[in-house]
Amino acid sequence: MTRQRYEAYLDSLETRLNQPLSVANFQTTARLALVPLGDEHAAITTVNANAQNKAPNRADSVATNISYQRMGDIGYISARSFATRGSQDLTVYERCIDSIFAMIHRDKVTRLIIDVSRNDGGASAVGNMIIKHIFPKPYKHYSMNWKRSEAYLARLISWGFKDETYQNAAPGQILHFPSKTVVPGKVANPFKGKVIVIVGAETFSSAMMFATLVQDNNMALLAGESPVNGHPSHFGEMYSTLLPNTQLELRFGVKEWIRPAGRGKVNRLVPDIPREIPTNKDLAKFVRQLPW
């Protein structure tokens, strides 16, 4: 959609705002402004309701977001979230993931499940940390488009991140980052057995990116159910602000991520092994019955 068409669409919405509205009714109307963006992260929400679903709750317990257990001769990693409170949490994740693969090495399992079926995302760097333990070969990463913004630059600085390419670009400029070949760093306990990644209806954002990298680079098979709201190519990395009169939170992605397989592939994550995701009670049986 061109800027001109989008502005015309916004003008058409504005003509409906011709009388006083409650916050709830304004929210309903304002949400229509996000529809043409095709941004699955975009939302206008009340702060309290949004806080129940956003990452910070899980970011407060980073060490429990990724856990490991042995199921007979199969290792099982539950990655429920990649959420962070900032760059300082990435070192916590790295220590956690390193220790998990040390346990897997100690247990001498030859088959490994990585479950992101209920993972709503966070920092994509966490998924990359897992990949380097299961796939030692060079692989193709996402390509990305990123529009330069003064407001988002200030947000990056407040989070402790620094990107000179972005900082030096002119405001409004769209930066194009082609897909790069990633050479995974060496790790102390690489896993050399067979891996299956479980995806589900709730797999979203950076968890979706992790699963897409696995599938597009033939690292492992995906099992489970197609995500409902997430798509392999999508907008991500969130910017948010409070609307001054209603105190509703407006949030949207600032980067366009394009899957390694490119725009030509259907933009839906389809498991190689379609299976209904079981309850926790039936999880061990589900894992054993996968076609290893």
Side-chain angles (χ1 to χ4, degrees):
M1 175 175 280
T2 65
R3 177 172 179 168
Q4 291 74 19
R5 283 186 61 195
Y6 187 56
E7 287 180 344
Y9 176 74
L10 293 180
D11 289 343
S12 72
L13 295 181
E14 191 172 4
T15 60
R16 305 181 196 180
L17 304 178
N18 55 12
Q19 59 185 351
L21 294 174
S22 67
V23 170
N25 287 337
F26 172 77
Q27 183 179 5
T28 299
T29 302
R31 280 175 175 160
L32 297 174
L34 303 177
V35 173
L37 299 180
D39 181 355
E40 57 204 28
H41 287 85
I44 297 178
T45 59
T46 59
V47 174
N48 289 337
N50 199 42
Q52 296 175 2
N53 300 313
K54 280 181 64 179
N57 288 338
R58 288 188 169 178
D60 289 337
S61 54
V62 169
T64 63
N65 284 342
I66 298 183
S67 59
Y68 164 75
Q69 61 178 302
R70 182 175 177 176
M71 296 180 175
D73 60 346
I74 300 173
Y76 174 82
I77 295 176
S78 172
R80 67 169 192 166
S81 178
F82 293 159
T84 68
R85 296 158 297 190
S87 58
Q88 71 275 8
D89 284 337
L90 295 179
T91 57
V92 180
Y93 272 111
E94 191 151 33
R95 288 198 301 269
C96 180
I97 292 168
D98 287 345
S99 65
I100 282 174
F101 279 91
M103 288 188 283
I104 291 171
H105 181 74
R106 178 202 65 197
D107 288 345
K108 297 181 180 179
V109 297
T110 58
R111 294 177 290 176
L112 179 64
I113 290 287
I114 302 173
D115 188 349
V116 294
S117 62
R118 294 174 176 86
N119 190 319
D120 59 0
S124 59
V126 180
N128 296 340
M129 293 175 192
I130 296 174
I131 286 175
K132 71 180 181 180
H133 285 83
I134 64 171
F135 195 75
K137 302 175 184 177
Y139 63 93
K140 190 176 181 181
H141 213 282
Y142 271 71
S143 57
M144 184 262 286
N145 297 318
W146 193 6
K147 187 176 182 179
R148 171 68 159 79
S149 157
E150 287 292 325
Y152 198 70
L153 177 60
R155 187 63 56 88
L156 284 175
I157 293 172
S158 73
W159 288 336
F161 291 102
K162 186 176 182 180
D163 189 300
E164 291 186 359
T165 301
Y166 186 78
Q167 186 171 347
N168 294 335
Q173 179 182 351
I174 296 178
L175 303 172
H176 302 278
F177 295 84
S179 174
K180 290 185 178 180
T181 298
V182 177
V183 180
K186 292 185 178 181
V187 294
N189 297 288
F191 182 73
K192 299 179 180 179
K194 187 166 185 178
V195 178
I196 292 179
V197 174
I198 302 178
V199 296
E202 299 173 45
T203 304
F204 190 66
S205 195
S206 61
M208 166 66 74
M209 295 183 77
F210 165 75
T212 301
L213 287 172
V214 167
Q215 186 177 66
D216 284 5
N217 288 282
N218 298 311
M219 298 178 186
L221 295 178
L222 302 187
E225 305 166 16
S226 289
V228 173
N229 295 317
H231 296 82
S233 295
H234 59 270
F235 292 91
E237 189 159 324
M238 303 309 299
Y239 177 80
S240 64
T241 187
L242 287 179
L243 302 183
N245 296 322
T246 60
Q247 293 300 294
L248 293 170
E249 183 183 47
L250 168 65
R251 54 197 295 262
F252 51 86
V254 300
K255 291 180 178 178
E256 181 189 22
W257 296 100
I258 300 149
R259 70 186 299 173
R263 296 187 188 274
K265 188 163 184 176
V266 175
N267 196 26
R268 184 168 179 262
L269 196 65
V270 180
D272 306 291
I273 309 167
R275 292 287 189 280
E276 184 176 348
I277 302 294
T279 63
N280 288 336
K281 181 176 65 175
D282 301 322
L283 184 60
K285 181 180 178 182
F286 170 83
V287 167
R288 289 194 300 272
Q289 290 181 342
L290 288 172
W292 294 96

